[in-house]
Structure formats: structure tokens, C-alpha cells
Amino acid sequence: MAVALAADFPADRLTFHGNNKSPGELLAALEAGVGRIVLDSYDEIDRLTDLARRLDVSPAVLLRVKAGVEAHTHEYIATAHEDQKFGLSLTAAAEAAGRIVADGVLRLNGLHSHIGSQIFDTGAFEVAARRVIGLHHSIQNDYDVELPQLCLGGGFGMAYTTQDDPRSPSELADALRKIIDHECAALGIEMPAISVEPGRAICGPSTFTLYRVGTVKPVDLDGGRIRSYVSVDGGMSDNLRTALYDASYSATLASRLSEAPPVLARVVGKHCESGDIVVKDEFLPSDVTAGDLIAVPGTGAYCRSMASNYNHVPRPPVIAVADGAARVIVRRETVADLLRLDVG
């Protein structure tokens, strides 16, 4: 929220998320005039109601619902099943809606449902939509309110490797619209305005990470196979997803052309962890050597935002490239940056 406001993004177009928003964060959202606040718990409803009453404002809110859907993705990024921290069950959300309507302080604009990340088909969305639209209908009937909005969250997959085949935004939009239209028609209700949050699908493909090779180490595998361990000048400090989610990436030799035969390679980082892997399996030219540059595409979504200074490794810069020109938009960290917060 702070970054968006600093970039002069219109506050009324922001949706403010979080499963544990502090009173200070909620107050900042109210003072900025954020367009929608997604409420995640009873505690948060009470917290925001108290702040809004004190400021004499009536912010628009959505209730985050977990629809009990098992998305076909890694368990750490599946967010709609019951046994996880996000959102309210269908029953709890109905009760929360009643509390919001009875208090009359917050404006309940609709429901929010996010089933997970890196999803390539609409099957799980269809199941979730059926349940959420059913709840939407019940709340409107039970409490005599209109819910003009429905947010289906994000999670639309992007291509990290050649094995990934994401659908186009227009195909996804058309499929989701048809799903909601069908469910609303079956219940005889007006279709709410649908919104989605396709963050990864937008920013993920925009960026790649460029590493410099430091060492190359062939390792004998079972059956006489060889794997080449290609160590680069980064790793889990700039891309935690492989270690955290068992995520797959691709890689390519970027600094020169090579006609050397391919070899099975694993691109690894410089950190003191066996799980410090950037790309688990990739075929790279067998003559890759120290000093070469390796490019890993699809790193625009969660690499920089999840980056750390593990092992006191400074984070790399971010370079914008367009029309043959390059400029630094986030400078490289230095050792002085790492030490600047020490006060002892």
C-alpha cells in the first residue's frame, strides 16, 4: 500500500489484503481512502469497525471466504481449503456478514475468494464460484443487502518452463465470466461486478535474473550419469521459491553462443544450504565455465519481493531494459547497507 501510494497510484483503486492487519495499517488505509479492504477474521472486523466509527467513515469491505477447494498446486500456495490461515469458512463468513450489516458502520460490498497460485485451468474456480455465489445469494436474502462485487482472487499460472502452458487473459476472463453467469442464472440473481488479481501473470514474465557462474563441478550419479553443478553468484537469497515451493525454473547460457553438446545441469547458489538450488534440472552446454552468464527467466513475480540477506549476501540491482537502453531502477546493495541498521 505504501509503495502504491508513493507511486501516486489512485488510492480508491487499491484493494488492501492481509490476514493480520494491524490497527496502524488499517488506520493508514482509511486515511488514504483505500477503495476496498478485504476482511479476514472477526478480530479484523471489530478492529476496522472501531476505527471507522472513530473517524466517522464507512469504508467498503469484502469478506475473504475459503470455499473448501483443493487447488492443484503446491500446498503452501493453496489457500482455499479449510485448514489454513486465510479467510473465513462459508458458515463463518455468513455470520460475519450479519455482524457487519447489523453494526451499520462498514459497507459490505461483496465476497473475495482466492483458491491458490500457479493454476492453469478453471476447474477449481468453477467449484469455488458455485459455493461463493451460493453464499452471495444467501447473504443478500438473509440480510436484505445488495453485494455489487465479487473478487475471484488471482493465482493464474505463468510459464516458468516449457512444460507450463498458461491460458491467455482473454480466455481466462471469458471462462470465469461464463462460470459466474451460469451460477447466477441458476439462482435467478443479478451477476455482480467481477474482479481478479492477476499479479504474477502480469509481472512474472517481465523479468529475468542474470547470474555469473563461479564454479562448475561434475558429479557422478547412479548408472554412470553425470550431473554438472553450476554455482552462481546468488541463490536462495534472491530466489527462495525453489527451496520453499519446490518450484521449477529454466535456464540458458546468456553470454555467448555454444555448440557444445548438452549436459544435465543443476544451477545452485552460494549459500550454506544443500537446498540452495535455483534450477533443479536443465540441459546446459557442456562447456559452461566460470565467468559465463546464466539467465533464469520468469523471476518478476516473487523473487525480488521475497529476497533476503541470508549469509549477509547483498541483494542484486534491478535493471530496466527497453529499446536497446538500460537503466538502474533499484541499485545494488552494499556491505554498508547491510551494516547501516546496527546500533550496538
Side-chain angles (χ1 to χ4, degrees):
M1 179 176 66
V3 172
L5 295 173
D8 293 328
F9 192 87
D12 62 356
R13 292 178 58 194
L14 292 177
T15 300
F16 187 34
H17 276 287
N19 69 298
N20 186 24
K21 308 178 199 66
S22 70
E25 291 166 342
L26 290 170
L27 179 61
L30 293 176
E31 291 176 338
V34 163
R36 302 186 300 182
I37 298 175
V38 180
L39 296 175
D40 200 86
S41 64
Y42 289 119
D43 285 340
E44 215 165 70
I45 293 170
D46 294 341
R47 196 174 298 155
L48 184 63
T49 299
D50 290 343
L51 287 169
R53 187 177 281 120
R54 190 190 319 160
L55 296 178
D56 194 25
V57 294
S58 184
V61 300
L62 303 179
L63 278 174
R64 180 160 181 172
V65 180
K66 47 188 176 186
V69 175
E70 291 286 349
H72 297 296
T73 187
H74 191 279
E75 63 174 311
Y76 288 178
I77 51 178
T79 57
H81 57 285
E82 294 294 345
D83 191 13
Q84 49 84 34
K85 70 177 186 176
F86 292 109
L88 296 163
S89 69
L90 296 171
T91 301
E95 295 174 357
R99 180 184 298 189
I100 292 171
V101 173
D103 284 340
V105 176
L106 310 178
R107 285 183 293 126
L108 181 59
N109 271 20
L111 303 175
H112 178 283
S113 172
H114 177 63
I115 62 173
S117 295
Q118 210 39 15
I119 299 166
F120 291 98
D121 63 71
T122 58
F125 284 110
E126 186 167 1
V127 176
R130 185 177 299 115
R131 296 175 183 177
V132 174
I133 286 294
L135 176 61
H136 171 101
H137 178 50
S138 297
I139 290 172
Q140 290 192 143
N141 276 352
D142 293 346
Y143 304 115
D144 193 25
V145 294
E146 289 296 321
L147 302 181
Q149 300 178 14
L150 172 64
C151 183
L152 293 175
F156 311 115
M158 55 165 279
Y160 285 103
T161 73
T162 56
Q163 305 303 307
D164 296 328
D165 185 24
R167 300 175 68 177
S168 71
S170 60
E171 289 177 320
L172 282 168
D174 187 53
L176 292 175
R177 182 192 60 78
K178 288 179 179 177
I179 290 169
I180 300 300
D181 185 49
H182 178 269
E183 296 303 322
C184 288
L187 292 169
I189 61 176
E190 185 176 347
M191 188 166 72
I194 303 169
S195 60
V196 294
E197 300 163 345
R200 178 203 305 268
I202 293 173
C203 65
S206 70
T207 306
F208 67 90
T209 304
L210 192 64
Y211 297 101
R212 188 177 299 279
V213 176
T215 65
V216 178
K217 183 189 300 181
V219 174
D220 291 328
L221 305 178
D222 293 337
R225 295 178 300 145
I226 300 293
R227 187 199 303 278
S228 182
Y229 274 77
V230 180
S231 297
V232 297
D233 57 348
M236 62 190 299
S237 59
D238 58 80
N239 186 353
L240 187 59
R241 292 187 71 252
T242 306
L244 187 61
Y245 303 138
D246 195 30
S248 296
Y249 284 87
S250 58
T252 189
L253 176 62
S255 51
R256 60 183 174 86
L257 296 174
S258 173
E259 296 183 356
V263 63
L264 179 64
R266 176 162 290 174
V267 181
V268 297
K270 60 184 295 181
H271 301 286
C272 190
E273 298 283 351
S274 296
D276 178 26
I277 299 170
V278 178
V279 182
K280 292 178 292 184
D281 295 295
E282 182 63 281
F283 285 96
L284 291 173
S286 55
D287 63 349
V288 166
T289 189
D292 280 336
L293 300 180
I294 298 291
V296 176
T299 60
Y302 289 100
C303 290
R304 180 73 191 188
S305 61
M306 294 172 68
S308 72
N309 294 124
Y310 184 57
N311 289 160
H312 260 39
V313 172
R315 284 173 289 192
V318 180
I319 312 296
V321 181
D323 301 323
R327 63 187 177 93
V328 177
I329 56 175
V330 179
R331 70 166 175 81
R332 183 186 301 276
E333 283 185 333
T334 66
V335 172
D337 293 323
L338 300 182
L339 301 178
R340 74 184 186 281
L341 299 180
D342 289 355
V343 296

